[in-house]
Amino acid sequence: SAPPAPTPVARSPGSGVTAPGFRLPEGTGCAAEIARFRSVMDNDLETGHVAASVHRQVVSEIDAASSVCSAGRDEEARGRLRATKVRFGYPA
């Protein structure tokens, strides 16, 4: 007889557990890097690893980097993103 299927892990906001289907956005360039970090931050908020106030602050900085990226200033956008990551303790 086959072994029983594993029971799915119940997940609720603030559970500290990332959703099983979580995948980082793919791609290259500053837009993709920004999308990946935004995804990490949203996941950290959802799982309770970062406070809402910190998330708002980081997203504000991500939005600023995104505007610079959209203006075609790739290296400046990447530099802003790196600075935000370092300031908030994420690997750059």
Side-chain angles (χ1 to χ4, degrees):
S1 122
T7 304
V9 175
R11 193 174 161 277
S12 61
S15 68
V17 178
T18 297
F22 177 78
R23 298 284 180 270
L24 288 175
E26 296 182 8
T28 59
C30 58
E33 284 188 36
I34 289 166
R36 282 189 288 274
F37 188 48
R38 185 183 306 275
S39 186
V40 167
M41 288 308 305
D42 290 348
N43 182 67
D44 282 357
L45 176 65
E46 220 175 276
T47 58
H49 291 128
V50 69
S53 60
V54 172
H55 180 267
R56 279 191 301 276
Q57 190 174 357
V58 172
V59 166
S60 173
E61 292 187 25
I62 291 172
D63 289 345
S66 183
S67 293
V68 171
C69 179
S70 294
R73 301 190 322 258
D74 190 89
E75 284 307 311
E76 182 183 346
R78 288 175 193 240
R80 285 176 176 239
L81 193 62
R82 274 190 301 276
T84 298
K85 288 178 176 182
V86 168
R87 190 170 21 267
F88 290 93
Y90 286 82

